[in-house]
Amino acid sequence: MTSIPEAKAPADEVVLEAIGLTKHFPVRRQLRDLFSNRHDAVHAVDDVNLTLRRGQVVALVGESGSGKSTVARLLAQLYPRTGGDIRLHGVSTKVKSGSAFRQYCARVQMIFQDPFASLNPVHTIRYHLERSLQIHGNAGDDLETALHELLERVSLTPPERYLDKFPHELSGGQRQRVAIARALGAQPEALLADEPVSMLDVSIRLGVLNLLRDLKERLNLAILYITHDIASARYFADQTMVMYAGRMVEGGDSETVTQSPAHPYTRLLIESAPDPDRLAGASEAAGEERGNGEPPSLIHPPTGCRFHPRCPVAMPRCSTDLPVPLEIGDVPGHWAACWLYDKAEVAS
Ligand SMILES: Nc1ncnc2c1ncn2[C@@H]1O[C@H](COP(=O)(O)OP(=O)(O)O)[C@@H](O)[C@H]1O
Ligand SMILES: [Mg+2]
């Protein structure tokens, strides 16, 4: 490989951090609001902390509408943030457009759920990959070799079979591999993968996740893996963070979070995905339809713990006091934002 060097940076090095990251989308004002002083907003993401390290996958899990994509788009600098910070290698970073944005994109690349929508139907695979290599100055001396290497990286071989095809001539899994190859053309340090397999055929999801894992290891990439399927997080991610209604509710190493979930919401997610080993079969709806009740309004989110209206073990203070992250048991790094784990509560 000449154009895509193997990773040199140490594993575990922090690439990207979100600190108190917050995004409120203003709601279009209604006529009646003109006569009042209302400034409603969708509280899509509130006070999110997240650390992406080289050579590690962090899963961000939650049902639809919990704010996962907004976190990814904020980290990709596609939206301005309402509050908090994004640090790239420890440096606070806010970019909007132009060369600063391009430089940021070269280091942090996004992969979207729908590879068909993210590839341009009128252009060949060659065009997509060439553009990525050229924009980021990674074409090297021999463009053709660089293109071949990109396709080989994502196991689309022999490359010449794919280069001059159009997106519609490929399967969904092959298109997602092209989207991944295009992201690699930037030689990024971090990949933000927003439900990268949930639109793919069940039978090929594992193959694409295995490819991402292989890239993580060989290129020492930091990966954010967004999913509503907690079973796949256990399989694929080193760390798992659970998000509910715009807030992080639990985090820790994936094995612990999925095998000994602490937060009642995480437990609900796991119960609604009955077989944790059944990665391939986790259906779109399974985790979302069951469970008692509906996700809350994010315009007027519940006070205290946002999960309290649905929580089977809610206590009086849960409706008034915002829970802080509390350490769970003796597994280092395992925490839940839940008053059940307040020492004072446990003692009384
Ligand atoms: N551009 C936007 N304008 C207004 N509200 C938005 C926008 N994008 C997302 N939202 C709202 O923010 C919340 C979180 O959305 P999203 O991040 O897409 O969740 P997820 O990816 O977990 O399904 C939802 O209530 C959604 O309707
Ligand atoms: Mg989403």
Side-chain angles (χ1 to χ4, degrees), residues 244-263:
Y244 181 76
R247 287 188 175 275
M248 291 294 185
V249 297
E250 181 166 358
D253 72 84
S254 296
E255 189 66 18
T256 307
V257 171
T258 57
Q259 297 306 102
S260 320
H263 198 286

Side-chain angles (χ1 to χ4, degrees), residues 124-134 143 147 150-151 163 178-179 181-183 185:
T124 59
I125 307 313
R126 174 188 295 279
Y127 174 91
H128 285 92
L129 300 184
E130 241 176 56
R131 250 180 86 80
S132 168
L133 287 166
Q134 281 164 347
L143 179 63
L147 289 169
L150 274 183
L151 285 172
L163 271 174
V178 170
R182 178 178 57 181

Side-chain angles (χ1 to χ4, degrees), residues 63-231:
E63 64 204 329
S64 119
S66 55
K68 307 180 297 297
S69 294
T70 304
V71 169
R73 285 163 184 271
L74 288 167
L75 287 174
Q77 308 262 3
L78 299 176
Y79 295 146
R81 50 192 181 261
T82 307
D85 203 6
I86 293 171
R87 296 195 189 146
L88 184 63
H89 291 285
V91 180
S92 172
T93 318
K94 192 176 267 179
V95 300
K96 272 197 198 138
S97 53
S99 69
F101 181 68
R102 266 200 306 284
Q103 279 171 28
Y104 189 85
C105 291
R107 306 174 81 171
V108 180
Q109 281 277 309
M110 204 156 157
I111 294 170
F112 297 93
Q113 182 173 11
D114 182 356
F116 205 50
S118 66
L119 300 176
N120 188 330
V122 306
H123 288 301
T124 59
I125 307 313
R126 174 188 295 279
Y127 174 91
H128 285 92
L129 300 184
E130 241 176 56
R131 250 180 86 80
S132 168
L133 287 166
Q134 281 164 347
I135 286 173
H136 298 288
N138 295 331
D141 302 333
D142 182 356
L143 179 63
E144 205 61 21
T145 307
L147 289 169
H148 280 231
E149 283 171 355
L150 274 183
L151 285 172
E152 280 161 7
R153 275 272 190 232
V154 297
S155 303
L156 290 176
T157 52
E160 52 277 14
R161 186 186 297 165
Y162 298 95
L163 271 174
D164 296 306
K165 291 228 155 82
F166 287 90
H168 72 267
E169 298 178 274
L170 303 183
S171 71
Q174 291 168 337
R175 283 196 290 265
Q176 194 60 299
R177 285 170 191 267
V178 170
I180 294 168
R182 178 178 57 181
L184 296 180
Q187 297 187 7
E189 296 168 63
L191 284 185
L192 310 173
D194 190 357
E195 310 240 17
V197 298
S198 60
M199 286 192 56
L200 303 183
D201 243 38
V202 162
S203 59
I204 58 172
R205 289 181 184 174
L206 207 54
V208 173
L209 286 186
N210 285 339
L211 167 68
L212 285 171
R213 170 149 52 199
D214 175 62
L215 293 171
K216 168 194 91 161
E217 278 159 16
R218 287 204 296 162
L219 304 177
N220 204 9
L221 290 171
I223 298 184
L224 179 67
Y225 169 61
I226 291 181
T227 181
H228 57 260
D229 171 18
I230 194 161

